[in-house]
Amino acid sequence: MYVIWGAAGTVGLATAKALRHASLPVRAVVRNAAQGDALAKLGCEVVVADLHDALALARTLDGAQAVQALVPLPRGEARPADTMRATIDGIARVLAAHRDVPVVALSDYGAELSENTGITTLFHAFEAALREVSSQLTLLRSAEHLHNWQRVLPVALASGVLPSFHDPVDKSFPAIAAADVGVVSARLLREGGALRGTRLVSVEGPARVSASDVARAIEKASGRAVKARALPRDQWEATLAQGGLSPQHARLVIDLFDVHNAGRIDVETPASERAFGTTTLEQAMAAMLGSNRAS
């Protein structure tokens, strides 16, 4: 049985689909029953359990061949870093009692850096905690997810300007369609039982992109003229606050983009194996626009 914690997310659902396509048994763990409908249709065993409920989470590992673990970024919380640290501690305690269950942990590019990287600092803590408790650990570090741009699609389509924290807008950076992360994770889950120790895999899309590339892809998919524009650094905090982020959440984002723009977020070489998704930027943007129209 392959166990997916946080199976209702984009990556979790893609992992489940890939495993079920191979006719493999999947236990999909979600926060509430309504999230399990699509997973049940795939033939998954759906289990409701909160990542902060150690007893419930431990029960999901009964008979597990491998587990996909993640630390979601809380939305709408005043102190998201504290919540993420509590989640990390709880997951580590559960996995400490199941040391021989192979783990694929979803992490981020830059997680080898120990401080001053905003959100990514928390993935450094996640990796460190799991290294202590798992005897069969795969760290799957992902490049920036392309679907993060979906939040500003309405602005780009309405104004013709794509606001970007990436500065300069023509600088290329690693990115990937979130669903491709799930496909790679499914493969690593199937391989997990053959390893001992820790394996590090970095995954990104078939080509690196820039904010200007994203704007051109939106323009191509929508037929509307769109240009990328870097947001001035002194406007970041106010912009994030307008988007509903707490000051502490905004600080996590700002610190991350500061190191991104300094060129410090990339593949850890030579330590990491490399994997690549297949979804192009143009395909990802076209899908997002279709989703926006449908909603």
Short mmCIF file of all heavy atoms in Angstrom, two decimals, residues 99-156:
data_model
loop_
_atom_site.label_atom_id
_atom_site.label_comp_id
_atom_site.label_asym_id
_atom_site.label_seq_id
_atom_site.Cartn_x
_atom_site.Cartn_y
_atom_site.Cartn_z
N ARG A 99 10.51 3.54 11.25
CA ARG A 99 11.77 3.87 10.59
C ARG A 99 12.01 3.12 9.29
O ARG A 99 12.72 3.61 8.41
CB ARG A 99 12.95 3.61 11.55
CG ARG A 99 13.06 4.62 12.68
CD ARG A 99 14.25 4.33 13.57
NE ARG A 99 14.38 5.33 14.62
CZ ARG A 99 15.07 6.45 14.49
NH1 ARG A 99 15.71 6.69 13.36
NH2 ARG A 99 15.12 7.33 15.47
N ASP A 100 11.45 1.94 9.17
CA ASP A 100 11.73 1.12 7.99
C ASP A 100 10.73 1.32 6.86
O ASP A 100 10.81 0.64 5.83
CB ASP A 100 11.80 -0.35 8.38
CG ASP A 100 13.03 -0.66 9.23
OD1 ASP A 100 14.06 0.02 9.02
OD2 ASP A 100 12.96 -1.56 10.08
N VAL A 101 9.77 2.24 7.05
CA VAL A 101 8.86 2.57 5.95
C VAL A 101 9.57 3.56 5.03
O VAL A 101 9.95 4.64 5.48
CB VAL A 101 7.55 3.18 6.46
CG1 VAL A 101 6.69 3.66 5.28
CG2 VAL A 101 6.77 2.17 7.29
N PRO A 102 9.79 3.23 3.76
CA PRO A 102 10.44 4.18 2.85
C PRO A 102 9.63 5.48 2.75
O PRO A 102 8.39 5.45 2.66
CB PRO A 102 10.47 3.44 1.52
CG PRO A 102 10.44 1.99 1.90
CD PRO A 102 9.55 1.93 3.10
N VAL A 103 10.33 6.59 2.76
CA VAL A 103 9.69 7.91 2.74
C VAL A 103 10.18 8.69 1.54
O VAL A 103 11.39 8.76 1.27
CB VAL A 103 10.03 8.71 4.02
CG1 VAL A 103 9.39 10.10 3.97
CG2 VAL A 103 9.58 7.95 5.27
N VAL A 104 9.25 9.29 0.81
CA VAL A 104 9.59 10.31 -0.18
C VAL A 104 9.06 11.63 0.38
O VAL A 104 7.85 11.81 0.54
CB VAL A 104 8.97 10.03 -1.56
CG1 VAL A 104 9.23 11.21 -2.52
CG2 VAL A 104 9.54 8.74 -2.14
N ALA A 105 9.96 12.54 0.70
CA ALA A 105 9.60 13.81 1.31
C ALA A 105 9.66 14.92 0.27
O ALA A 105 10.68 15.09 -0.41
CB ALA A 105 10.55 14.13 2.47
N LEU A 106 8.58 15.66 0.13
CA LEU A 106 8.52 16.76 -0.83
C LEU A 106 9.19 17.98 -0.24
O LEU A 106 8.76 18.52 0.78
CB LEU A 106 7.07 17.07 -1.19
CG LEU A 106 6.25 15.90 -1.75
CD1 LEU A 106 4.85 16.37 -2.12
CD2 LEU A 106 6.93 15.26 -2.95
N SER A 107 10.24 18.44 -0.90
CA SER A 107 11.02 19.56 -0.41
C SER A 107 11.20 20.58 -1.54
O SER A 107 10.53 20.49 -2.57
CB SER A 107 12.36 19.07 0.13
OG SER A 107 13.08 20.12 0.77
N ASP A 108 12.09 21.54 -1.34
CA ASP A 108 12.27 22.64 -2.29
C ASP A 108 13.73 22.83 -2.68
O ASP A 108 14.63 22.56 -1.87
CB ASP A 108 11.78 23.95 -1.67
CG ASP A 108 10.31 24.21 -1.93
OD1 ASP A 108 9.61 23.30 -2.41
OD2 ASP A 108 9.85 25.34 -1.63
N TYR A 109 13.95 23.34 -3.89
CA TYR A 109 15.28 23.81 -4.26
C TYR A 109 15.74 24.82 -3.20
O TYR A 109 14.95 25.65 -2.73
CB TYR A 109 15.24 24.52 -5.61
CG TYR A 109 15.40 23.64 -6.82
CD1 TYR A 109 14.95 22.32 -6.84
CD2 TYR A 109 16.00 24.12 -7.98
CE1 TYR A 109 15.11 21.52 -7.95
CE2 TYR A 109 16.15 23.33 -9.11
CZ TYR A 109 15.71 22.03 -9.09
OH TYR A 109 15.85 21.22 -10.20
N GLY A 110 17.01 24.72 -2.83
CA GLY A 110 17.55 25.64 -1.83
C GLY A 110 17.46 25.13 -0.41
O GLY A 110 17.92 25.80 0.51
N ALA A 111 16.89 23.93 -0.21
CA ALA A 111 16.71 23.44 1.15
C ALA A 111 18.03 23.09 1.83
O ALA A 111 18.05 22.88 3.05
CB ALA A 111 15.79 22.22 1.16
N GLU A 112 19.12 23.05 1.08
CA GLU A 112 20.42 22.82 1.72
C GLU A 112 20.89 24.05 2.49
O GLU A 112 21.79 23.96 3.33
CB GLU A 112 21.46 22.42 0.67
CG GLU A 112 21.94 23.54 -0.25
CD GLU A 112 21.00 23.80 -1.42
OE1 GLU A 112 19.90 23.20 -1.46
OE2 GLU A 112 21.38 24.60 -2.30
N LEU A 113 20.28 25.22 2.21
CA LEU A 113 20.65 26.46 2.90
C LEU A 113 19.94 26.52 4.24
O LEU A 113 18.73 26.30 4.33
CB LEU A 113 20.29 27.67 2.04
CG LEU A 113 20.89 27.67 0.61
CD1 LEU A 113 20.34 28.84 -0.18
CD2 LEU A 113 22.41 27.71 0.69
N SER A 114 20.66 26.85 5.29
CA SER A 114 20.13 26.70 6.64
C SER A 114 19.46 27.95 7.21
O SER A 114 18.78 27.86 8.23
CB SER A 114 21.25 26.27 7.60
OG SER A 114 22.27 27.24 7.63
N GLU A 115 19.62 29.10 6.58
CA GLU A 115 19.04 30.31 7.17
C GLU A 115 18.84 31.39 6.11
O GLU A 115 19.41 31.33 5.02
CB GLU A 115 19.93 30.84 8.29
CG GLU A 115 21.35 31.15 7.86
CD GLU A 115 22.25 31.54 9.02
OE1 GLU A 115 21.84 31.39 10.19
OE2 GLU A 115 23.35 32.01 8.74
N ASN A 116 17.97 32.34 6.48
CA ASN A 116 17.71 33.53 5.66
C ASN A 116 17.15 33.22 4.28
O ASN A 116 17.41 33.95 3.31
CB ASN A 116 18.98 34.38 5.52
CG ASN A 116 19.52 34.85 6.86
OD1 ASN A 116 18.77 35.15 7.77
ND2 ASN A 116 20.85 34.87 6.99
N THR A 117 16.38 32.14 4.16
CA THR A 117 15.76 31.82 2.87
C THR A 117 14.24 31.77 2.97
O THR A 117 13.57 31.18 2.11
CB THR A 117 16.28 30.48 2.33
OG1 THR A 117 15.96 29.44 3.26
CG2 THR A 117 17.77 30.53 2.08
N GLY A 118 13.67 32.38 3.99
CA GLY A 118 12.22 32.43 4.10
C GLY A 118 11.60 31.06 4.23
O GLY A 118 12.01 30.23 5.05
N ILE A 119 10.60 30.81 3.39
CA ILE A 119 9.88 29.53 3.44
C ILE A 119 10.83 28.35 3.31
O ILE A 119 10.67 27.32 3.98
CB ILE A 119 8.83 29.49 2.31
CG1 ILE A 119 7.76 30.56 2.53
CG2 ILE A 119 8.19 28.12 2.21
CD1 ILE A 119 6.89 30.82 1.32
N THR A 120 11.85 28.49 2.48
CA THR A 120 12.75 27.37 2.21
C THR A 120 13.54 26.97 3.44
O THR A 120 13.95 25.80 3.58
CB THR A 120 13.68 27.72 1.03
OG1 THR A 120 12.87 28.05 -0.10
CG2 THR A 120 14.56 26.55 0.66
N THR A 121 13.74 27.87 4.38
CA THR A 121 14.40 27.52 5.64
C THR A 121 13.63 26.42 6.36
O THR A 121 14.22 25.54 7.01
CB THR A 121 14.53 28.75 6.55
OG1 THR A 121 15.24 29.78 5.86
CG2 THR A 121 15.26 28.41 7.83
N LEU A 122 12.31 26.45 6.23
CA LEU A 122 11.48 25.45 6.90
C LEU A 122 11.63 24.08 6.23
O LEU A 122 11.54 23.05 6.89
CB LEU A 122 10.03 25.91 6.92
CG LEU A 122 9.83 27.17 7.77
CD1 LEU A 122 8.56 27.90 7.38
CD2 LEU A 122 9.82 26.82 9.25
N PHE A 123 11.87 24.07 4.93
CA PHE A 123 12.13 22.79 4.27
C PHE A 123 13.51 22.24 4.65
O PHE A 123 13.70 21.03 4.70
CB PHE A 123 11.96 22.92 2.76
CG PHE A 123 10.53 23.08 2.34
CD1 PHE A 123 10.01 24.32 2.06
CD2 PHE A 123 9.70 21.98 2.29
CE1 PHE A 123 8.68 24.47 1.71
CE2 PHE A 123 8.36 22.11 1.95
CZ PHE A 123 7.85 23.37 1.65
N HIS A 124 14.43 23.13 4.94
CA HIS A 124 15.72 22.68 5.49
C HIS A 124 15.48 21.96 6.82
O HIS A 124 16.05 20.89 7.07
CB HIS A 124 16.64 23.88 5.70
CG HIS A 124 17.96 23.54 6.33
ND1 HIS A 124 19.04 23.10 5.60
CD2 HIS A 124 18.36 23.54 7.65
CE1 HIS A 124 20.06 22.86 6.43
NE2 HIS A 124 19.67 23.12 7.66
N ALA A 125 14.63 22.54 7.67
CA ALA A 125 14.31 21.92 8.96
C ALA A 125 13.59 20.59 8.76
O ALA A 125 13.83 19.61 9.49
CB ALA A 125 13.46 22.87 9.80
N PHE A 126 12.69 20.53 7.78
CA PHE A 126 11.96 19.30 7.47
C PHE A 126 12.93 18.19 7.07
O PHE A 126 12.87 17.06 7.59
CB PHE A 126 10.97 19.60 6.34
CG PHE A 126 10.08 18.46 5.94
CD1 PHE A 126 9.45 17.66 6.89
CD2 PHE A 126 9.82 18.21 4.60
CE1 PHE A 126 8.60 16.63 6.51
CE2 PHE A 126 8.97 17.18 4.21
CZ PHE A 126 8.37 16.40 5.17
N GLU A 127 13.84 18.50 6.17
CA GLU A 127 14.82 17.50 5.74
C GLU A 127 15.68 17.03 6.91
O GLU A 127 15.94 15.82 7.06
CB GLU A 127 15.72 18.09 4.65
CG GLU A 127 15.01 18.31 3.32
CD GLU A 127 15.99 18.68 2.21
OE1 GLU A 127 17.22 18.68 2.46
OE2 GLU A 127 15.53 18.96 1.08
N ALA A 128 16.13 17.96 7.73
CA ALA A 128 16.99 17.60 8.86
C ALA A 128 16.27 16.68 9.82
O ALA A 128 16.84 15.69 10.32
CB ALA A 128 17.47 18.86 9.58
N ALA A 129 14.99 16.97 10.08
CA ALA A 129 14.22 16.14 11.01
C ALA A 129 14.03 14.73 10.47
O ALA A 129 14.16 13.74 11.20
CB ALA A 129 12.86 16.80 11.28
N LEU A 130 13.76 14.61 9.17
CA LEU A 130 13.52 13.28 8.60
C LEU A 130 14.80 12.47 8.46
O LEU A 130 14.77 11.24 8.56
CB LEU A 130 12.82 13.41 7.24
CG LEU A 130 11.41 14.00 7.25
CD1 LEU A 130 10.70 13.68 5.95
CD2 LEU A 130 10.58 13.53 8.43
N ARG A 131 15.91 13.13 8.23
CA ARG A 131 17.19 12.41 8.19
C ARG A 131 17.45 11.69 9.52
O ARG A 131 18.11 10.63 9.54
CB ARG A 131 18.33 13.37 7.89
CG ARG A 131 18.39 13.87 6.45
CD ARG A 131 19.54 14.86 6.30
NE ARG A 131 19.54 15.59 5.04
CZ ARG A 131 20.16 15.21 3.95
NH1 ARG A 131 20.86 14.08 3.94
NH2 ARG A 131 20.12 15.94 2.84
N GLU A 132 16.95 12.25 10.59
CA GLU A 132 17.17 11.68 11.91
C GLU A 132 16.32 10.44 12.18
O GLU A 132 16.68 9.60 13.00
CB GLU A 132 16.89 12.73 13.00
CG GLU A 132 17.87 13.89 13.03
CD GLU A 132 19.25 13.44 13.50
OE1 GLU A 132 19.32 12.57 14.38
OE2 GLU A 132 20.25 13.96 12.96
N VAL A 133 15.18 10.33 11.50
CA VAL A 133 14.22 9.29 11.89
C VAL A 133 13.94 8.25 10.82
O VAL A 133 13.30 7.23 11.11
CB VAL A 133 12.87 9.92 12.33
CG1 VAL A 133 13.08 10.86 13.51
CG2 VAL A 133 12.21 10.67 11.17
N SER A 134 14.40 8.46 9.60
CA SER A 134 14.09 7.52 8.52
C SER A 134 15.34 6.80 8.04
O SER A 134 16.36 7.42 7.77
CB SER A 134 13.44 8.26 7.34
OG SER A 134 13.21 7.37 6.26
N SER A 135 15.22 5.49 7.90
CA SER A 135 16.35 4.71 7.39
C SER A 135 16.30 4.56 5.88
O SER A 135 17.27 4.11 5.26
CB SER A 135 16.35 3.32 8.03
OG SER A 135 15.20 2.59 7.64
N GLN A 136 15.17 4.92 5.26
CA GLN A 136 15.00 4.82 3.81
C GLN A 136 14.31 6.10 3.33
O GLN A 136 13.09 6.13 3.19
CB GLN A 136 14.18 3.59 3.43
CG GLN A 136 14.81 2.28 3.89
CD GLN A 136 13.96 1.08 3.51
OE1 GLN A 136 13.87 0.69 2.35
NE2 GLN A 136 13.31 0.49 4.49
N LEU A 137 15.09 7.13 3.11
CA LEU A 137 14.56 8.46 2.86
C LEU A 137 14.98 8.97 1.48
O LEU A 137 16.16 8.95 1.14
CB LEU A 137 15.07 9.44 3.93
CG LEU A 137 14.72 10.92 3.76
CD1 LEU A 137 13.21 11.14 3.82
CD2 LEU A 137 15.44 11.76 4.82
N THR A 138 13.99 9.42 0.71
CA THR A 138 14.26 10.13 -0.53
C THR A 138 13.76 11.57 -0.37
O THR A 138 12.58 11.78 -0.08
CB THR A 138 13.55 9.48 -1.73
OG1 THR A 138 14.02 8.14 -1.88
CG2 THR A 138 13.84 10.25 -3.01
N LEU A 139 14.67 12.52 -0.55
CA LEU A 139 14.30 13.94 -0.51
C LEU A 139 14.09 14.39 -1.94
O LEU A 139 15.02 14.40 -2.75
CB LEU A 139 15.41 14.75 0.15
CG LEU A 139 15.74 14.36 1.60
CD1 LEU A 139 16.98 15.11 2.07
CD2 LEU A 139 14.56 14.64 2.51
N LEU A 140 12.86 14.74 -2.28
CA LEU A 140 12.53 15.20 -3.63
C LEU A 140 12.40 16.72 -3.59
O LEU A 140 11.39 17.26 -3.15
CB LEU A 140 11.24 14.56 -4.12
CG LEU A 140 10.78 15.00 -5.53
CD1 LEU A 140 11.87 14.74 -6.57
CD2 LEU A 140 9.48 14.30 -5.91
N ARG A 141 13.45 17.38 -4.03
CA ARG A 141 13.45 18.85 -4.04
C ARG A 141 12.90 19.34 -5.38
O ARG A 141 13.41 18.99 -6.44
CB ARG A 141 14.86 19.39 -3.83
CG ARG A 141 15.38 19.19 -2.43
CD ARG A 141 16.73 19.85 -2.27
NE ARG A 141 17.33 19.53 -0.96
CZ ARG A 141 18.61 19.67 -0.68
NH1 ARG A 141 19.45 20.10 -1.62
NH2 ARG A 141 19.08 19.37 0.52
N SER A 142 11.90 20.18 -5.28
CA SER A 142 11.22 20.68 -6.47
C SER A 142 11.59 22.13 -6.73
O SER A 142 11.74 22.94 -5.81
CB SER A 142 9.71 20.56 -6.27
OG SER A 142 9.01 21.30 -7.24
N ALA A 143 11.70 22.47 -8.02
CA ALA A 143 11.81 23.86 -8.42
C ALA A 143 10.47 24.56 -8.17
O ALA A 143 9.47 23.93 -7.82
CB ALA A 143 12.19 23.95 -9.89
N GLU A 144 10.45 25.85 -8.34
CA GLU A 144 9.22 26.65 -8.16
C GLU A 144 8.09 26.09 -9.00
O GLU A 144 8.27 25.76 -10.18
CB GLU A 144 9.50 28.10 -8.56
CG GLU A 144 8.31 29.02 -8.43
CD GLU A 144 8.66 30.45 -8.81
OE1 GLU A 144 9.76 30.91 -8.45
OE2 GLU A 144 7.83 31.10 -9.47
N HIS A 145 6.90 25.98 -8.40
CA HIS A 145 5.75 25.45 -9.12
C HIS A 145 5.14 26.51 -10.03
O HIS A 145 4.83 27.63 -9.59
CB HIS A 145 4.69 24.95 -8.14
CG HIS A 145 5.10 23.71 -7.41
ND1 HIS A 145 4.26 23.03 -6.55
CD2 HIS A 145 6.27 23.00 -7.41
CE1 HIS A 145 4.90 21.98 -6.05
NE2 HIS A 145 6.11 21.94 -6.57
N LEU A 146 4.93 26.16 -11.28
CA LEU A 146 4.37 27.11 -12.23
C LEU A 146 2.97 27.57 -11.85
O LEU A 146 2.57 28.70 -12.16
CB LEU A 146 4.34 26.49 -13.64
CG LEU A 146 5.70 26.36 -14.33
CD1 LEU A 146 5.56 25.52 -15.60
CD2 LEU A 146 6.29 27.73 -14.65
N HIS A 147 2.23 26.71 -11.13
CA HIS A 147 0.85 27.12 -10.81
C HIS A 147 0.81 28.27 -9.81
O HIS A 147 -0.26 28.86 -9.59
CB HIS A 147 0.04 25.91 -10.31
CG HIS A 147 0.33 25.46 -8.93
ND1 HIS A 147 1.04 24.33 -8.65
CD2 HIS A 147 0.01 25.99 -7.72
CE1 HIS A 147 1.14 24.17 -7.34
NE2 HIS A 147 0.54 25.18 -6.76
N ASN A 148 1.95 28.63 -9.21
CA ASN A 148 1.96 29.81 -8.34
C ASN A 148 1.58 31.08 -9.11
O ASN A 148 1.07 32.05 -8.52
CB ASN A 148 3.35 30.01 -7.72
CG ASN A 148 3.69 28.95 -6.70
OD1 ASN A 148 2.81 28.24 -6.21
ND2 ASN A 148 4.96 28.81 -6.37
N TRP A 149 1.81 31.08 -10.42
CA TRP A 149 1.46 32.25 -11.23
C TRP A 149 -0.05 32.40 -11.41
O TRP A 149 -0.53 33.47 -11.83
CB TRP A 149 2.13 32.16 -12.60
CG TRP A 149 3.62 32.31 -12.54
CD1 TRP A 149 4.55 31.31 -12.49
CD2 TRP A 149 4.36 33.54 -12.50
NE1 TRP A 149 5.83 31.83 -12.43
CE2 TRP A 149 5.74 33.20 -12.44
CE3 TRP A 149 4.00 34.89 -12.54
CZ2 TRP A 149 6.74 34.17 -12.40
CZ3 TRP A 149 4.99 35.85 -12.49
CH2 TRP A 149 6.35 35.50 -12.43
N GLN A 150 -0.79 31.35 -11.09
CA GLN A 150 -2.24 31.43 -11.28
C GLN A 150 -2.87 32.53 -10.43
O GLN A 150 -3.89 33.11 -10.80
CB GLN A 150 -2.88 30.07 -10.96
CG GLN A 150 -4.34 29.97 -11.36
CD GLN A 150 -4.77 28.54 -11.58
OE1 GLN A 150 -4.10 27.61 -11.17
NE2 GLN A 150 -5.89 28.35 -12.24
N ARG A 151 -2.23 32.85 -9.30
CA ARG A 151 -2.79 33.88 -8.42
C ARG A 151 -2.83 35.26 -9.07
O ARG A 151 -3.67 36.09 -8.73
CB ARG A 151 -1.97 33.95 -7.12
CG ARG A 151 -1.93 32.64 -6.35
CD ARG A 151 -1.06 32.77 -5.10
NE ARG A 151 -0.75 31.47 -4.53
CZ ARG A 151 0.47 31.03 -4.24
NH1 ARG A 151 1.51 31.80 -4.47
NH2 ARG A 151 0.66 29.83 -3.74
N VAL A 152 -1.90 35.52 -9.99
CA VAL A 152 -1.85 36.85 -10.61
C VAL A 152 -2.36 36.84 -12.05
O VAL A 152 -2.29 37.88 -12.73
CB VAL A 152 -0.41 37.44 -10.55
CG1 VAL A 152 -0.03 37.73 -9.12
CG2 VAL A 152 0.60 36.51 -11.21
N LEU A 153 -2.86 35.71 -12.51
CA LEU A 153 -3.42 35.65 -13.86
C LEU A 153 -4.53 36.68 -14.07
O LEU A 153 -4.55 37.37 -15.10
CB LEU A 153 -3.94 34.24 -14.17
CG LEU A 153 -2.98 33.27 -14.84
CD1 LEU A 153 -3.67 31.94 -15.07
CD2 LEU A 153 -2.47 33.82 -16.16
N PRO A 154 -5.49 36.81 -13.14
CA PRO A 154 -6.56 37.81 -13.37
C PRO A 154 -6.01 39.23 -13.55
O PRO A 154 -6.52 39.99 -14.37
CB PRO A 154 -7.42 37.68 -12.10
CG PRO A 154 -7.18 36.29 -11.63
CD PRO A 154 -5.73 36.02 -11.92
N VAL A 155 -4.98 39.56 -12.78
CA VAL A 155 -4.37 40.89 -12.90
C VAL A 155 -3.74 41.06 -14.27
O VAL A 155 -3.92 42.08 -14.95
CB VAL A 155 -3.31 41.10 -11.80
CG1 VAL A 155 -2.57 42.43 -12.01
CG2 VAL A 155 -3.95 41.07 -10.43
N ALA A 156 -2.99 40.03 -14.71
CA ALA A 156 -2.32 40.10 -16.01
C ALA A 156 -3.32 40.23 -17.15
O ALA A 156 -3.13 41.01 -18.09
CB ALA A 156 -1.44 38.87 -16.21
#
